[in-house]
């Protein structure tokens, strides 16, 4: 029987906290059971083992990322929307490092994964609309933007920036160059 008050959402919140504290690779069912003060077999009422937990954590991560970035771009368009999305994305990666790992480390099947990935893509598609790129070019631009963001997030998370130069200044500089390129692609300046 499931412990009173323990449900899948509570389990995911606790798993995300553990991942943020010690990294995704340190997340085990035993550690999660200890955090929740239950026995490991009790977790199987809510997940089908560690792979299922990690896949569910990926879905949870993307949902939170979509909410965070969507909130940041409400009422914004063009460069302002892209800049706000980037700031929110990097803020999420910084504040939820272990959970963010689930976004790019867990590559598995989950019934909800494709729909939340599509939500994130749709958000990126909406903020790219004002640039008037073609369908294929828009997808290339989104890949470029996601790569830019993930590159900064991952390098920062792993101590890859050692120079005496503010990371946010570098992000702003590179993002401005990216945006100039998008405007040039549509014939703007």
């Amino acid at each position: 029987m499931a412990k009173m008050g323990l449900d899948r959402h509570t389990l995911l919140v606790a798993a995300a906290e553990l991942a943020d504290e010690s990294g995704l690779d340190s997340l085990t069912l035993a550690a999660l059971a200890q955090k929740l003060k239950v026995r490991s077999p009790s977790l199987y009422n809510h997940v089908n083992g560690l792979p299922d937990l990690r896949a569910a954590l990926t879905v949870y991560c993307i949902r939170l990322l979509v909410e965070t970035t969507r909130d940041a771009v409400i009422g914004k368009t063009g460069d302002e929307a892209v800049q706000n999305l980037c700031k929110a994305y990097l803020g999420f990666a910084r504040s939820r490092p272990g959970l963010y790992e689930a976004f790019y480390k867990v590559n598995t099947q989950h019934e909800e994964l494709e729909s939340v990935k599509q939500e994130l893509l749709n958000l990126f598609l909406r903020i790219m609309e004002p640039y008037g790129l073609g369908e294929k070019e828009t997808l290339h631009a989104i890949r470029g933007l996601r790569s830019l963001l993930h590159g900064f997030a991952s390098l920062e998370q792993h101590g890859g920036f050692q120079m005496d130069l503010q990371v946010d200044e570098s992000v702003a500089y590179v993002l401005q160059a990216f945006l100039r390129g998008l405007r040039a692609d549509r014939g703007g300046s």
Side-chain angles (χ1 to χ4, degrees):
M1 177 172 230
K3 179 180 176 184
M4 294 296 275
L6 182 59
D7 58 20
R8 191 169 170 94
H9 179 74
T10 302
L11 185 134
L12 288 174
V13 169
E17 289 171 359
L18 278 174
D20 286 338
E21 292 165 8
S22 306
L24 183 66
D25 291 337
S26 68
L27 176 62
T28 64
L29 292 177
L32 181 57
Q34 182 178 7
K35 179 174 182 68
L36 292 168
K37 297 178 179 37
V38 298
R39 294 182 315 130
S40 291
S42 299
L43 300 177
Y44 286 91
N45 292 317
H46 307 286
V47 292
N48 295 320
L50 189 58
D52 182 48
L53 173 62
R54 288 185 178 199
L57 203 56
T58 300
V59 171
Y60 178 66
C61 171
I62 296 172
R63 275 201 181 109
L64 290 178
L65 183 58
V66 167
E67 288 173 18
T68 300
T69 53
R70 184 185 297 135
D71 289 349
V73 300
I74 289 175
K76 312 287 190 272
T77 61
D79 290 3
E80 185 181 19
V82 174
Q83 291 164 341
N84 282 20
L85 179 133
C86 292
K87 184 177 180 180
Y89 185 107
L90 291 173
F92 179 87
R94 288 170 178 158
S95 67
R96 304 303 307 265
L99 184 57
Y100 180 71
E101 280 184 87
F103 180 48
Y104 65 90
K105 275 192 175 179
V106 178
N107 190 9
T108 187
Q109 296 300 322
H110 189 278
E111 63 270 6
E112 298 173 72
L113 192 55
E114 289 310 310
S115 69
V116 295
K117 282 182 176 180
Q118 189 63 48
E119 283 183 56
L120 186 60
L121 176 60
N122 289 343
L123 178 62
F124 274 81
L125 286 168
R126 280 194 303 276
I127 69 158
M128 297 305 283
E129 282 177 7
Y131 295 95
L133 306 171
E135 182 179 343
K136 186 177 178 181
E137 291 79 10
T138 297
L139 293 175
H140 286 310
I142 290 169
R143 277 186 173 173
L145 184 58
R146 283 193 57 216
S147 297
L148 182 151
L149 292 171
H150 178 67
F152 273 103
S154 181
L155 285 168
E156 185 174 19
Q157 196 171 50
H158 293 96
F161 295 117
Q162 299 296 315
M163 292 181 189
D164 187 24
L165 190 63
Q166 292 295 316
V167 173
D168 287 340
E169 288 179 26
S170 297
V171 171
Y173 178 85
V174 173
L175 185 55
Q176 284 305 315
F178 177 83
L179 293 171
R180 278 193 303 274
L182 289 182
R183 289 190 300 274
D185 253 9
R186 70 169 187 204
S189 56

